[in-house]
Amino acid sequence: MCVSSGPAILARGIGKSFRQRLVLNSIELHVERGELIGLIGKNGAGKSTLLRILTGLIPRDRGEVSVLGMDPSVAAKRIRERTGYLPGETSVYQQMTGQQFLDFALSFYPRRQTALLDDLLDIFALPLQQRVRNYSAGMKQKLALIASLSPDLDLYLLDEPDRALDASIRFQLRDVLLRMRNDGRTFVLSSHHLSEVETLADRLEFLLDGSLVAPQVIAKARARLQRLVRIKLTQNAILPTNCTVLTKEADGTMILEPIDAPLDWLKLLPPSSVCTAEIGIARLEDLYKLLLAEVLA
Amino acid sequence: MIALKTWREIRVMSLMYLLLFELLLVPVILLWPDFYGDLRRSLPSMFKALEFTKRIGEGISNPDEDFAYRNWLAVMLYFRSINLVGIAGAVLLGTALFAREREAQTLEFLLSRPVSRIRILWEKSWPTALCLVAPIFLANWSAILWSRHIDIVVPFLPLTLASLHGACFVMSFLALTTLVSVLCRVQAHVAFWVGGFTVLQIGIYLIPRVRRYSLFRLSDFDWYAPIVSGNHGLIDMFDPVGHAGLTTYLVLATVLLYALALRALQKLEL
């Protein structure tokens, strides 16, 4: 558990390029101790690069970073003594048995959370005496998760922890992470399962095009979403012109942005032409799509 | 723990490597009396083909059988076993050290543990070095026992010193392979580059005029024969300006290559 004070992670203006390609641009991140942060972004957005910089696996080009009060470029080993890291690509030794891999992975840490380890072994029900090469992708991910979460540490950086896991296991994993968070552990995790991250995270950070989206931009996008209308019209209904169609799904459901107030706009439609209508969109997926569209624009 | 893991991965290969050395060694020792008799009657023409093979031929057909036998051991134990099996072993074990971990995507796991990269390199390298070097010494010492079957006494110290030089030569190749293994993402690429380099060196060695530029000059009959015959001692081997002082340069090259491998590993971005 944490003994020193201050935020778990404080990053200011982190920049990173790979062969002239800018991957991260002026990242500002503040994570308090005991917080669980969800990192969202499309593939190649720089999520893994950011997590690798925080663990000291790769150096940053610019900016200041403090993880548990230490600079990863100076004290990477000391940071990793208190930080669990789950790589984005499942990395487990194929020639070992599951038990051998766990023994190997946990041997690097002086303390482990025995009760949690037992719980995870119960939940995941892995055949630990089998060689890892015989495991499925999901089983390998479970093994990597046990190895990353079981050490008794302050901070956990998890790159797509729910990858290759089925829904029931993802829910159980969510409960485990919440329990650990309630015990005061800090988490930064990236995921593509937006709805689950939303229910799990204290706060979401959107990493788009190499930059974290500023809170005011997110607030503005959320406000805009409140003005959108999700609507499904009857077959021959005519759509009024004073709106913009943002998306149209296969079943005919549309997301629209009316020029006027949404309620006034809805009143323009004859009730008989509306199958379903809903003002204001709260889904994270839609917020993400909107932010993505704005950033790309 | 990394060292234990490395040892577990390569221990069988080390045993096989020792077995291979013994298989190459035992027949050439036990068949020596017949072979020597044939050599004394007529030196095969293949020995007369090149300047250095002619020297080998003269050495192993010397009227003094003890001297001839030591030259024979120098050719068989070192020039053949170390330069062939030893280098192959160094390349085989060295390629796997980092490139295989990168290929299998386990290197990120390893590097993200609370352990320094110098310790990772050390704990991967010393068991590998031990697995390579121990069979060289064990096989060479076993030559002392096998030689008793043909009533020839081979002294321990010269054989050990020659083994030390052979081990240094193999270690320099292991260090080179380790460096390339850190630099390459794919294990097959490491084998390609180091294997290609080795084949080139062998090719150069077989061309009379440019032979002196081959690295295999550091580990050939001209070097091993005087040591096995007891003409050079440990001090001579580490005298950097003396004829026998090549061992010094092999040690320096090994240290330099490991230093470069460490630098590459510390700068490695996944």
Side-chain angles (χ1 to χ4, degrees), chain A residues 84-86 92 98-99 101-103 105-106 109 112-114 116-128 135 138-153 156 158 161 165 173 176 180, chain B residues 109 113:
Chain A
Y85 173 65
L86 177 79
V92 285
Q99 188 62 55
F101 178 77
L102 277 186
D103 291 342
L106 296 176
Y109 302 94
R112 63 184 72 170
Q113 306 175 74
T114 317
L116 179 80
L117 175 61
D118 292 342
D119 283 354
L120 287 170
L121 289 173
D122 272 354
I123 293 169
F124 292 151
L126 288 172
L128 289 177
Y135 281 18
M139 288 159 86
K140 286 175 190 166
Q141 180 69 1
K142 288 174 190 174
L143 188 64
L145 270 168
I146 299 173
S148 302
L149 295 174
S150 300
D152 186 5
L153 304 166
Y156 298 84
L158 310 177
L165 300 182
L173 175 65
V176 169
M180 289 176 74
Chain B
F109 165 82
R113 300 307 99 185

Side-chain angles (χ1 to χ4, degrees), chain A residues 218-233:
Chain A
I218 298 173
K220 202 173 145 190
R222 281 193 193 276
R224 191 180 163 200
L225 284 175
Q226 292 309 308
R227 294 188 63 254
L228 299 186
V229 177
R230 182 191 297 273
I231 193 165
K232 187 176 178 186
L233 299 176

